[in-house]
Amino acid sequence: MKMKRFVAAAIAAVSCLSFAACGSDTASKDENVIHIMSSGDSSANMERALVDEYNKTADVKAVLDLVTSADYQNKLQTVMSNPKSDSAPDIFFNWADALMIQYARADVSAPLDEYMEKDPELKDNFLPSILDAAKVDGKYYGIPVRGVQPIVLFYNKKVLSDNGIEAPTTFDEFCDACEKLKSAGLTPIALGGGDQWPTLNWYSVIYQQVMGNDDVQKMMDGGVDEWSSPKSKKALEIIRDMVEKGYFGTTYDSVKHTDGAAPALLEQGRPASS
C-alpha cells in the first residue's frame, strides 16, 4: 500500500483559546485582571507576546498562567470541574476534541458567536475548515491559536545508514525498513504512548490515508457506518499488525513524549524513528 508523502504526513491538530462561561462567586478575584491558562511549552511564546502587547494599552490586564505540558490536561480538567472557583481561568487553551464538546455542553465554556458578529475578522481571518473544528452544536467555542500542527515522522540518519536503509517514501518501504531494524535488534519506532495522544497520531495518519479525508470527516461528525466499514477495519488491521510485529517495541505505553523520553531515545539511536 502506498501512502502519499508518508514520512511527512500532516494532520491538522487544531488548538484553541476558549472563554470560560462562569466567573468566581467570591470577591477575592481582581475584576481588573483576566487570567489566561495555557500549556507552557515553547509554543506559548506566541501567547506571551500577545499578552505583553495587549497589556500595553488595556485597562483590564491579562495574566498568563502557564502549566507544564505534561500536567496541563489533568490540571485543566481539575479547575474546569469547578468553573466558579478562584483557580478557574477566564480564558483557557484547549484542543478541538471531546473535552471541548464536554465543556460547551456543560455550559463551562461560552460561545463566541456574538463576538464574531461584532468583529467579523475573528471569523474571516481563519480557514473555515480550521475554524469549524471549534464548532459545537452550531456555535463556536474557540479561536484557533498556534497554527496548524503537522504530524511529522523524524528519523535518525545514522541508524538508517548504519543498517543500509534509505529513508522510506512509501508505507511498504517503511515496513521493510522496520523489519530490517528489528533484525538488527533495534526498536523501529519510539512511541510516547504514556501520553496517549502520540498513539492517536498513528491512528489519525493511517485512517486518513486508508479512508480518505471525506470519510474521516464523516466519522468526526458522528457517522456510524464509516466506523464499521471495510476501510475502517483495514486501518485497524494495519495498526494491529504494527503492534504485533513489534514496530513500537514492548514498553511504548510506559514511555512519554512530553517529558522528552521518546525524543531522547531517538537521539540516542535506540529506535530509528519517532
Side-chain angles (χ1 to χ4, degrees), residues 81-128:
S81 66
N82 186 10
K84 293 186 178 182
S85 70
D86 286 346
S87 59
D90 301 291
I91 300 172
F92 62 96
F93 172 88
N94 195 24
W95 292 268
D97 59 6
L99 279 177
M100 169 172 281
I101 298 173
Q102 176 182 319
Y103 294 150
R105 291 179 176 170
D107 291 329
V108 172
S109 60
L112 306 179
D113 298 73
E114 63 175 292
Y115 300 101
M116 292 179 175
E117 291 176 3
K118 294 176 182 177
D119 186 359
E121 287 189 359
L122 284 175
K123 184 175 182 179
D124 297 341
N125 282 345
F126 298 102
L127 293 171

mmCIF file of all heavy atoms in Angstrom, residues 81-128:
data_model
loop_
_atom_site.group_PDB
_atom_site.id
_atom_site.type_symbol
_atom_site.label_atom_id
_atom_site.label_comp_id
_atom_site.label_asym_id
_atom_site.label_seq_id
_atom_site.Cartn_x
_atom_site.Cartn_y
_atom_site.Cartn_z
ATOM 1 N N SER A 81 -13.648 21.607 36.455
ATOM 2 C CA SER A 81 -14.703 20.866 37.159
ATOM 3 C C SER A 81 -15.422 21.775 38.160
ATOM 4 O O SER A 81 -16.528 21.465 38.597
ATOM 5 C CB SER A 81 -14.126 19.648 37.878
ATOM 6 O OG SER A 81 -13.248 20.048 38.922
ATOM 7 N N ASN A 82 -14.800 22.885 38.520
ATOM 8 C CA ASN A 82 -15.419 23.879 39.404
ATOM 9 C C ASN A 82 -15.158 25.258 38.817
ATOM 10 O O ASN A 82 -14.300 26.013 39.301
ATOM 11 C CB ASN A 82 -14.850 23.774 40.817
ATOM 12 C CG ASN A 82 -15.574 24.697 41.791
ATOM 13 O OD1 ASN A 82 -16.610 25.284 41.464
ATOM 14 N ND2 ASN A 82 -15.026 24.839 42.989
ATOM 15 N N PRO A 83 -15.875 25.613 37.740
ATOM 16 C CA PRO A 83 -15.559 26.835 36.993
ATOM 17 C C PRO A 83 -15.774 28.134 37.761
ATOM 18 O O PRO A 83 -15.337 29.191 37.307
ATOM 19 C CB PRO A 83 -16.507 26.748 35.786
ATOM 20 C CG PRO A 83 -17.631 25.881 36.240
ATOM 21 C CD PRO A 83 -17.011 24.885 37.168
ATOM 22 N N LYS A 84 -16.440 28.094 38.919
ATOM 23 C CA LYS A 84 -16.658 29.309 39.697
ATOM 24 C C LYS A 84 -15.603 29.511 40.790
ATOM 25 O O LYS A 84 -15.679 30.462 41.559
ATOM 26 C CB LYS A 84 -18.048 29.282 40.327
ATOM 27 C CG LYS A 84 -19.180 29.357 39.300
ATOM 28 C CD LYS A 84 -20.532 29.470 39.970
ATOM 29 C CE LYS A 84 -21.650 29.585 38.929
ATOM 30 N NZ LYS A 84 -22.989 29.745 39.548
ATOM 31 N N SER A 85 -14.632 28.599 40.841
ATOM 32 C CA SER A 85 -13.593 28.729 41.860
ATOM 33 C C SER A 85 -12.584 29.800 41.456
ATOM 34 O O SER A 85 -12.499 30.204 40.292
ATOM 35 C CB SER A 85 -12.873 27.397 42.053
ATOM 36 O OG SER A 85 -12.083 27.099 40.922
ATOM 37 N N ASP A 86 -11.799 30.264 42.433
ATOM 38 C CA ASP A 86 -10.790 31.286 42.154
ATOM 39 C C ASP A 86 -9.720 30.790 41.194
ATOM 40 O O ASP A 86 -9.094 31.584 40.491
ATOM 41 C CB ASP A 86 -10.123 31.730 43.463
ATOM 42 C CG ASP A 86 -11.045 32.615 44.293
ATOM 43 O OD1 ASP A 86 -12.059 33.080 43.746
ATOM 44 O OD2 ASP A 86 -10.741 32.830 45.481
ATOM 45 N N SER A 87 -9.486 29.482 41.163
ATOM 46 C CA SER A 87 -8.425 28.937 40.318
ATOM 47 C C SER A 87 -8.858 28.740 38.868
ATOM 48 O O SER A 87 -8.017 28.463 38.004
ATOM 49 C CB SER A 87 -7.929 27.608 40.888
ATOM 50 O OG SER A 87 -8.996 26.676 40.974
ATOM 51 N N ALA A 88 -10.147 28.880 38.590
ATOM 52 C CA ALA A 88 -10.630 28.699 37.220
ATOM 53 C C ALA A 88 -10.204 29.885 36.356
ATOM 54 O O ALA A 88 -10.278 31.035 36.781
ATOM 55 C CB ALA A 88 -12.141 28.550 37.205
ATOM 56 N N PRO A 89 -9.752 29.635 35.128
ATOM 57 C CA PRO A 89 -9.310 30.721 34.253
ATOM 58 C C PRO A 89 -10.494 31.439 33.608
ATOM 59 O O PRO A 89 -11.610 30.913 33.564
ATOM 60 C CB PRO A 89 -8.483 29.995 33.199
ATOM 61 C CG PRO A 89 -9.151 28.648 33.095
ATOM 62 C CD PRO A 89 -9.601 28.315 34.497
ATOM 63 N N ASP A 90 -10.234 32.634 33.092
ATOM 64 C CA ASP A 90 -11.242 33.358 32.314
ATOM 65 C C ASP A 90 -11.181 32.930 30.851
ATOM 66 O O ASP A 90 -12.195 32.855 30.162
ATOM 67 C CB ASP A 90 -11.001 34.872 32.419
ATOM 68 C CG ASP A 90 -11.063 35.350 33.854
ATOM 69 O OD1 ASP A 90 -12.164 35.334 34.429
ATOM 70 O OD2 ASP A 90 -10.013 35.732 34.403
ATOM 71 N N ILE A 91 -9.975 32.661 30.381
ATOM 72 C CA ILE A 91 -9.730 32.171 29.024
ATOM 73 C C ILE A 91 -8.775 30.992 29.154
ATOM 74 O O ILE A 91 -7.858 31.021 29.973
ATOM 75 C CB ILE A 91 -9.101 33.263 28.133
ATOM 76 C CG1 ILE A 91 -10.037 34.477 28.041
ATOM 77 C CG2 ILE A 91 -8.798 32.727 26.740
ATOM 78 C CD1 ILE A 91 -9.424 35.673 27.333
ATOM 79 N N PHE A 92 -8.997 29.938 28.382
ATOM 80 C CA PHE A 92 -8.120 28.782 28.510
ATOM 81 C C PHE A 92 -7.782 28.178 27.158
ATOM 82 O O PHE A 92 -8.558 28.267 26.205
ATOM 83 C CB PHE A 92 -8.735 27.720 29.432
ATOM 84 C CG PHE A 92 -10.043 27.153 28.953
ATOM 85 C CD1 PHE A 92 -10.084 25.972 28.238
ATOM 86 C CD2 PHE A 92 -11.250 27.794 29.240
ATOM 87 C CE1 PHE A 92 -11.298 25.436 27.798
ATOM 88 C CE2 PHE A 92 -12.457 27.270 28.819
ATOM 89 C CZ PHE A 92 -12.483 26.090 28.089
ATOM 90 N N PHE A 93 -6.597 27.605 27.107
ATOM 91 C CA PHE A 93 -6.115 26.899 25.927
ATOM 92 C C PHE A 93 -6.668 25.481 25.943
ATOM 93 O O PHE A 93 -6.681 24.829 26.979
ATOM 94 C CB PHE A 93 -4.582 26.886 25.949
ATOM 95 C CG PHE A 93 -3.952 26.019 24.893
ATOM 96 C CD1 PHE A 93 -3.679 26.524 23.636
ATOM 97 C CD2 PHE A 93 -3.614 24.699 25.166
ATOM 98 C CE1 PHE A 93 -3.083 25.727 22.670
ATOM 99 C CE2 PHE A 93 -3.015 23.896 24.209
ATOM 100 C CZ PHE A 93 -2.754 24.418 22.951
ATOM 101 N N ASN A 94 -7.117 25.012 24.786
ATOM 102 C CA ASN A 94 -7.658 23.659 24.704
ATOM 103 C C ASN A 94 -7.499 23.151 23.285
ATOM 104 O O ASN A 94 -7.138 23.911 22.372
ATOM 105 C CB ASN A 94 -9.138 23.655 25.114
ATOM 106 C CG ASN A 94 -9.647 22.253 25.408
ATOM 107 O OD1 ASN A 94 -8.879 21.359 25.733
ATOM 108 N ND2 ASN A 94 -10.940 22.046 25.288
ATOM 109 N N TRP A 95 -7.750 21.902 23.081
ATOM 110 C CA TRP A 95 -7.743 21.317 21.747
ATOM 111 C C TRP A 95 -9.178 21.103 21.295
ATOM 112 O O TRP A 95 -10.087 20.932 22.111
ATOM 113 C CB TRP A 95 -6.983 19.990 21.765
ATOM 114 C CG TRP A 95 -5.530 20.161 22.009
ATOM 115 C CD1 TRP A 95 -4.532 20.301 21.075
ATOM 116 C CD2 TRP A 95 -4.880 20.231 23.285
ATOM 117 N NE1 TRP A 95 -3.327 20.453 21.689
ATOM 118 C CE2 TRP A 95 -3.504 20.413 23.049
ATOM 119 C CE3 TRP A 95 -5.344 20.165 24.609
ATOM 120 C CZ2 TRP A 95 -2.569 20.531 24.069
ATOM 121 C CZ3 TRP A 95 -4.421 20.277 25.639
ATOM 122 C CH2 TRP A 95 -3.056 20.454 25.368
ATOM 123 N N ALA A 96 -9.366 21.107 19.978
ATOM 124 C CA ALA A 96 -10.697 20.866 19.414
ATOM 125 C C ALA A 96 -10.975 19.374 19.485
ATOM 126 O O ALA A 96 -10.831 18.640 18.508
ATOM 127 C CB ALA A 96 -10.761 21.372 17.977
ATOM 128 N N ASP A 97 -11.380 18.925 20.670
ATOM 129 C CA ASP A 97 -11.556 17.498 20.894
ATOM 130 C C ASP A 97 -12.795 17.242 21.736
ATOM 131 O O ASP A 97 -13.662 18.108 21.878
ATOM 132 C CB ASP A 97 -10.308 16.924 21.568
ATOM 133 C CG ASP A 97 -10.000 17.597 22.916
ATOM 134 O OD1 ASP A 97 -10.813 18.427 23.374
ATOM 135 O OD2 ASP A 97 -8.949 17.287 23.504
ATOM 136 N N ALA A 98 -12.875 16.048 22.304
ATOM 137 C CA ALA A 98 -14.055 15.675 23.085
ATOM 138 C C ALA A 98 -14.236 16.566 24.306
ATOM 139 O O ALA A 98 -15.372 16.853 24.708
ATOM 140 C CB ALA A 98 -13.947 14.211 23.515
ATOM 141 N N LEU A 99 -13.131 17.028 24.897
ATOM 142 C CA LEU A 99 -13.248 17.905 26.065
ATOM 143 C C LEU A 99 -13.884 19.237 25.701
ATOM 144 O O LEU A 99 -14.644 19.808 26.489
ATOM 145 C CB LEU A 99 -11.878 18.128 26.710
ATOM 146 C CG LEU A 99 -11.369 17.020 27.630
ATOM 147 C CD1 LEU A 99 -9.976 17.352 28.128
ATOM 148 C CD2 LEU A 99 -12.322 16.812 28.805
ATOM 149 N N MET A 100 -13.570 19.740 24.516
ATOM 150 C CA MET A 100 -14.193 20.986 24.085
ATOM 151 C C MET A 100 -15.716 20.812 24.004
ATOM 152 O O MET A 100 -16.480 21.679 24.439
ATOM 153 C CB MET A 100 -13.646 21.424 22.727
ATOM 154 C CG MET A 100 -14.429 22.566 22.096
ATOM 155 S SD MET A 100 -13.650 23.238 20.627
ATOM 156 C CE MET A 100 -12.412 24.270 21.397
ATOM 157 N N ILE A 101 -16.145 19.688 23.456
ATOM 158 C CA ILE A 101 -17.578 19.410 23.366
ATOM 159 C C ILE A 101 -18.183 19.288 24.764
ATOM 160 O O ILE A 101 -19.261 19.821 25.048
ATOM 161 C CB ILE A 101 -17.815 18.120 22.553
ATOM 162 C CG1 ILE A 101 -17.305 18.301 21.123
ATOM 163 C CG2 ILE A 101 -19.294 17.742 22.557
ATOM 164 C CD1 ILE A 101 -17.342 17.028 20.294
ATOM 165 N N GLN A 102 -17.463 18.598 25.644
ATOM 166 C CA GLN A 102 -17.945 18.413 27.013
ATOM 167 C C GLN A 102 -18.107 19.748 27.729
ATOM 168 O O GLN A 102 -19.138 20.002 28.367
ATOM 169 C CB GLN A 102 -16.964 17.529 27.781
ATOM 170 C CG GLN A 102 -17.295 17.330 29.249
ATOM 171 C CD GLN A 102 -16.242 16.491 29.953
ATOM 172 O OE1 GLN A 102 -15.748 15.508 29.417
ATOM 173 N NE2 GLN A 102 -15.873 16.898 31.149
ATOM 174 N N TYR A 103 -17.112 20.617 27.629
ATOM 175 C CA TYR A 103 -17.182 21.919 28.295
ATOM 176 C C TYR A 103 -18.317 22.768 27.727
ATOM 177 O O TYR A 103 -19.011 23.472 28.459
ATOM 178 C CB TYR A 103 -15.855 22.661 28.147
ATOM 179 C CG TYR A 103 -14.689 22.015 28.848
ATOM 180 C CD1 TYR A 103 -13.393 22.146 28.354
ATOM 181 C CD2 TYR A 103 -14.871 21.254 30.004
ATOM 182 C CE1 TYR A 103 -12.320 21.551 28.993
ATOM 183 C CE2 TYR A 103 -13.801 20.654 30.644
ATOM 184 C CZ TYR A 103 -12.522 20.805 30.129
ATOM 185 O OH TYR A 103 -11.456 20.216 30.761
ATOM 186 N N ALA A 104 -18.497 22.704 26.415
ATOM 187 C CA ALA A 104 -19.544 23.507 25.783
ATOM 188 C C ALA A 104 -20.931 23.064 26.236
ATOM 189 O O ALA A 104 -21.772 23.886 26.603
ATOM 190 C CB ALA A 104 -19.425 23.403 24.264
ATOM 191 N N ARG A 105 -21.161 21.776 26.233
ATOM 192 C CA ARG A 105 -22.496 21.259 26.556
ATOM 193 C C ARG A 105 -22.796 21.334 28.055
ATOM 194 O O ARG A 105 -23.959 21.274 28.456
ATOM 195 C CB ARG A 105 -22.639 19.829 26.038
ATOM 196 C CG ARG A 105 -22.670 19.797 24.511
ATOM 197 C CD ARG A 105 -22.778 18.407 23.940
ATOM 198 N NE ARG A 105 -22.891 18.456 22.483
ATOM 199 C CZ ARG A 105 -22.813 17.396 21.680
ATOM 200 N NH1 ARG A 105 -22.617 16.188 22.199
ATOM 201 N NH2 ARG A 105 -22.923 17.530 20.365
ATOM 202 N N ALA A 106 -21.732 21.468 28.861
ATOM 203 C CA ALA A 106 -21.941 21.635 30.304
ATOM 204 C C ALA A 106 -22.007 23.109 30.696
ATOM 205 O O ALA A 106 -22.079 23.433 31.881
ATOM 206 C CB ALA A 106 -20.814 20.947 31.070
ATOM 207 N N ASP A 107 -21.988 24.004 29.686
ATOM 208 C CA ASP A 107 -22.009 25.455 29.915
ATOM 209 C C ASP A 107 -20.825 25.922 30.752
ATOM 210 O O ASP A 107 -20.901 26.936 31.463
ATOM 211 C CB ASP A 107 -23.326 25.883 30.597
ATOM 212 C CG ASP A 107 -24.517 25.745 29.673
ATOM 213 O OD1 ASP A 107 -24.336 25.899 28.455
ATOM 214 O OD2 ASP A 107 -25.625 25.462 30.163
ATOM 215 N N VAL A 108 -19.719 25.205 30.653
ATOM 216 C CA VAL A 108 -18.498 25.616 31.335
ATOM 217 C C VAL A 108 -17.726 26.625 30.480
ATOM 218 O O VAL A 108 -17.045 27.498 31.005
ATOM 219 C CB VAL A 108 -17.615 24.382 31.641
ATOM 220 C CG1 VAL A 108 -16.262 24.790 32.174
ATOM 221 C CG2 VAL A 108 -18.324 23.482 32.649
ATOM 222 N N SER A 109 -17.822 26.502 29.164
ATOM 223 C CA SER A 109 -17.225 27.479 28.259
ATOM 224 C C SER A 109 -18.326 28.221 27.517
ATOM 225 O O SER A 109 -19.450 27.728 27.385
ATOM 226 C CB SER A 109 -16.266 26.807 27.269
ATOM 227 O OG SER A 109 -16.951 25.850 26.475
ATOM 228 N N ALA A 110 -17.999 29.420 27.068
ATOM 229 C CA ALA A 110 -19.007 30.307 26.470
ATOM 230 C C ALA A 110 -18.870 30.346 24.953
ATOM 231 O O ALA A 110 -17.752 30.356 24.426
ATOM 232 C CB ALA A 110 -18.849 31.717 27.042
ATOM 233 N N PRO A 111 -19.981 30.386 24.228
ATOM 234 C CA PRO A 111 -19.903 30.535 22.769
ATOM 235 C C PRO A 111 -19.392 31.922 22.402
ATOM 236 O O PRO A 111 -19.604 32.895 23.128
ATOM 237 C CB PRO A 111 -21.356 30.331 22.319
ATOM 238 C CG PRO A 111 -22.178 30.679 23.514
ATOM 239 C CD PRO A 111 -21.365 30.286 24.711
ATOM 240 N N LEU A 112 -18.715 32.015 21.261
ATOM 241 C CA LEU A 112 -18.071 33.256 20.851
ATOM 242 C C LEU A 112 -18.784 33.942 19.689
ATOM 243 O O LEU A 112 -18.282 34.933 19.166
ATOM 244 C CB LEU A 112 -16.614 32.966 20.451
ATOM 245 C CG LEU A 112 -15.762 32.228 21.484
ATOM 246 C CD1 LEU A 112 -14.372 31.982 20.940
ATOM 247 C CD2 LEU A 112 -15.693 33.018 22.780
ATOM 248 N N ASP A 113 -19.938 33.441 19.317
ATOM 249 C CA ASP A 113 -20.607 33.941 18.116
ATOM 250 C C ASP A 113 -20.915 35.437 18.185
ATOM 251 O O ASP A 113 -20.761 36.156 17.189
ATOM 252 C CB ASP A 113 -21.896 33.145 17.883
ATOM 253 C CG ASP A 113 -21.630 31.674 17.650
ATOM 254 O OD1 ASP A 113 -21.291 30.982 18.617
ATOM 255 O OD2 ASP A 113 -21.743 31.224 16.501
ATOM 256 N N GLU A 114 -21.336 35.937 19.351
ATOM 257 C CA GLU A 114 -21.669 37.364 19.443
ATOM 258 C C GLU A 114 -20.431 38.234 19.242
ATOM 259 O O GLU A 114 -20.506 39.330 18.687
ATOM 260 C CB GLU A 114 -22.326 37.689 20.781
ATOM 261 C CG GLU A 114 -21.445 37.462 22.004
ATOM 262 C CD GLU A 114 -22.131 37.935 23.270
ATOM 263 O OE1 GLU A 114 -22.320 39.154 23.422
ATOM 264 O OE2 GLU A 114 -22.480 37.068 24.107
ATOM 265 N N TYR A 115 -19.274 37.743 19.685
ATOM 266 C CA TYR A 115 -18.035 38.500 19.482
ATOM 267 C C TYR A 115 -17.638 38.493 18.007
ATOM 268 O O TYR A 115 -17.107 39.477 17.496
ATOM 269 C CB TYR A 115 -16.911 37.909 20.330
ATOM 270 C CG TYR A 115 -17.215 37.921 21.810
ATOM 271 C CD1 TYR A 115 -17.642 36.770 22.453
ATOM 272 C CD2 TYR A 115 -17.111 39.103 22.558
ATOM 273 C CE1 TYR A 115 -17.937 36.772 23.807
ATOM 274 C CE2 TYR A 115 -17.409 39.114 23.913
ATOM 275 C CZ TYR A 115 -17.822 37.943 24.532
ATOM 276 O OH TYR A 115 -18.120 37.951 25.872
ATOM 277 N N MET A 116 -17.902 37.377 17.331
ATOM 278 C CA MET A 116 -17.594 37.292 15.907
ATOM 279 C C MET A 116 -18.495 38.212 15.088
ATOM 280 O O MET A 116 -18.080 38.755 14.058
ATOM 281 C CB MET A 116 -17.734 35.846 15.430
ATOM 282 C CG MET A 116 -16.685 34.911 15.997
ATOM 283 S SD MET A 116 -16.915 33.214 15.412
ATOM 284 C CE MET A 116 -15.465 32.427 16.117
ATOM 285 N N GLU A 117 -19.732 38.376 15.547
ATOM 286 C CA GLU A 117 -20.634 39.285 14.846
ATOM 287 C C GLU A 117 -20.171 40.726 14.991
ATOM 288 O O GLU A 117 -20.274 41.528 14.050
ATOM 289 C CB GLU A 117 -22.054 39.129 15.401
ATOM 290 C CG GLU A 117 -22.702 37.784 15.049
ATOM 291 C CD GLU A 117 -24.068 37.621 15.693
ATOM 292 O OE1 GLU A 117 -24.522 38.576 16.356
ATOM 293 O OE2 GLU A 117 -24.661 36.527 15.541
ATOM 294 N N LYS A 118 -19.646 41.064 16.166
ATOM 295 C CA LYS A 118 -19.169 42.433 16.403
ATOM 296 C C LYS A 118 -17.836 42.690 15.701
ATOM 297 O O LYS A 118 -17.547 43.813 15.287
ATOM 298 C CB LYS A 118 -19.012 42.678 17.906
ATOM 299 C CG LYS A 118 -20.317 42.667 18.674
ATOM 300 C CD LYS A 118 -20.070 42.828 20.169
ATOM 301 C CE LYS A 118 -21.372 42.777 20.961
ATOM 302 N NZ LYS A 118 -21.139 42.868 22.431
ATOM 303 N N ASP A 119 -17.025 41.653 15.592
ATOM 304 C CA ASP A 119 -15.712 41.771 14.960
ATOM 305 C C ASP A 119 -15.549 40.645 13.944
ATOM 306 O O ASP A 119 -15.000 39.590 14.243
ATOM 307 C CB ASP A 119 -14.611 41.689 16.020
ATOM 308 C CG ASP A 119 -13.221 41.944 15.449
ATOM 309 O OD1 ASP A 119 -13.113 42.165 14.225
ATOM 310 O OD2 ASP A 119 -12.240 41.912 16.224
ATOM 311 N N PRO A 120 -16.030 40.853 12.707
ATOM 312 C CA PRO A 120 -16.026 39.788 11.699
ATOM 313 C C PRO A 120 -14.651 39.201 11.413
ATOM 314 O O PRO A 120 -14.551 38.060 10.956
ATOM 315 C CB PRO A 120 -16.590 40.489 10.456
ATOM 316 C CG PRO A 120 -17.409 41.620 11.004
ATOM 317 C CD PRO A 120 -16.675 42.082 12.227
ATOM 318 N N GLU A 121 -13.578 39.964 11.682
ATOM 319 C CA GLU A 121 -12.246 39.444 11.408
ATOM 320 C C GLU A 121 -11.919 38.216 12.260
ATOM 321 O O GLU A 121 -11.079 37.400 11.884
ATOM 322 C CB GLU A 121 -11.189 40.524 11.642
ATOM 323 C CG GLU A 121 -11.179 41.598 10.555
ATOM 324 C CD GLU A 121 -9.999 42.532 10.697
ATOM 325 O OE1 GLU A 121 -9.205 42.346 11.646
ATOM 326 O OE2 GLU A 121 -9.860 43.433 9.862
ATOM 327 N N LEU A 122 -12.566 38.105 13.425
ATOM 328 C CA LEU A 122 -12.345 36.931 14.262
ATOM 329 C C LEU A 122 -12.705 35.651 13.523
ATOM 330 O O LEU A 122 -12.155 34.589 13.796
ATOM 331 C CB LEU A 122 -13.171 37.020 15.549
ATOM 332 C CG LEU A 122 -12.661 37.965 16.629
ATOM 333 C CD1 LEU A 122 -13.653 38.027 17.784
ATOM 334 C CD2 LEU A 122 -11.292 37.530 17.128
ATOM 335 N N LYS A 123 -13.636 35.773 12.598
ATOM 336 C CA LYS A 123 -14.056 34.614 11.810
ATOM 337 C C LYS A 123 -13.414 34.602 10.431
ATOM 338 O O LYS A 123 -12.962 33.557 9.949
ATOM 339 C CB LYS A 123 -15.579 34.621 11.667
ATOM 340 C CG LYS A 123 -16.147 33.404 10.954
ATOM 341 C CD LYS A 123 -17.668 33.434 10.961
ATOM 342 C CE LYS A 123 -18.257 32.202 10.294
ATOM 343 N NZ LYS A 123 -19.745 32.218 10.310
ATOM 344 N N ASP A 124 -13.331 35.776 9.805
ATOM 345 C CA ASP A 124 -12.874 35.844 8.419
ATOM 346 C C ASP A 124 -11.381 35.569 8.252
ATOM 347 O O ASP A 124 -10.930 35.246 7.156
ATOM 348 C CB ASP A 124 -13.204 37.221 7.829
ATOM 349 C CG ASP A 124 -14.701 37.484 7.773
ATOM 350 O OD1 ASP A 124 -15.474 36.506 7.841
ATOM 351 O OD2 ASP A 124 -15.097 38.660 7.686
ATOM 352 N N ASN A 125 -10.605 35.711 9.320
ATOM 353 C CA ASN A 125 -9.158 35.527 9.212
ATOM 354 C C ASN A 125 -8.722 34.071 9.247
ATOM 355 O O ASN A 125 -7.525 33.784 9.158
ATOM 356 C CB ASN A 125 -8.443 36.282 10.345
ATOM 357 C CG ASN A 125 -8.355 37.779 10.058
ATOM 358 O OD1 ASN A 125 -8.565 38.220 8.940
ATOM 359 N ND2 ASN A 125 -8.046 38.547 11.074
ATOM 360 N N PHE A 126 -9.678 33.142 9.407
ATOM 361 C CA PHE A 126 -9.327 31.728 9.505
ATOM 362 C C PHE A 126 -9.952 30.925 8.371
ATOM 363 O O PHE A 126 -11.041 31.260 7.886
ATOM 364 C CB PHE A 126 -9.804 31.142 10.838
ATOM 365 C CG PHE A 126 -9.165 31.776 12.042
ATOM 366 C CD1 PHE A 126 -9.850 32.705 12.799
ATOM 367 C CD2 PHE A 126 -7.870 31.441 12.411
ATOM 368 C CE1 PHE A 126 -9.267 33.290 13.911
ATOM 369 C CE2 PHE A 126 -7.276 32.025 13.513
ATOM 370 C CZ PHE A 126 -7.975 32.956 14.269
ATOM 371 N N LEU A 127 -9.253 29.862 7.967
ATOM 372 C CA LEU A 127 -9.856 28.933 7.013
ATOM 373 C C LEU A 127 -11.077 28.291 7.656
ATOM 374 O O LEU A 127 -11.023 27.876 8.818
ATOM 375 C CB LEU A 127 -8.856 27.848 6.629
ATOM 376 C CG LEU A 127 -7.626 28.286 5.812
ATOM 377 C CD1 LEU A 127 -6.638 27.134 5.703
ATOM 378 C CD2 LEU A 127 -8.050 28.753 4.432
ATOM 379 N N PRO A 128 -12.199 28.211 6.948
ATOM 380 C CA PRO A 128 -13.409 27.627 7.538
ATOM 381 C C PRO A 128 -13.183 26.224 8.103
ATOM 382 O O PRO A 128 -13.716 25.882 9.163
ATOM 383 C CB PRO A 128 -14.388 27.605 6.359
ATOM 384 C CG PRO A 128 -13.941 28.725 5.478
ATOM 385 C CD PRO A 128 -12.439 28.730 5.589
#
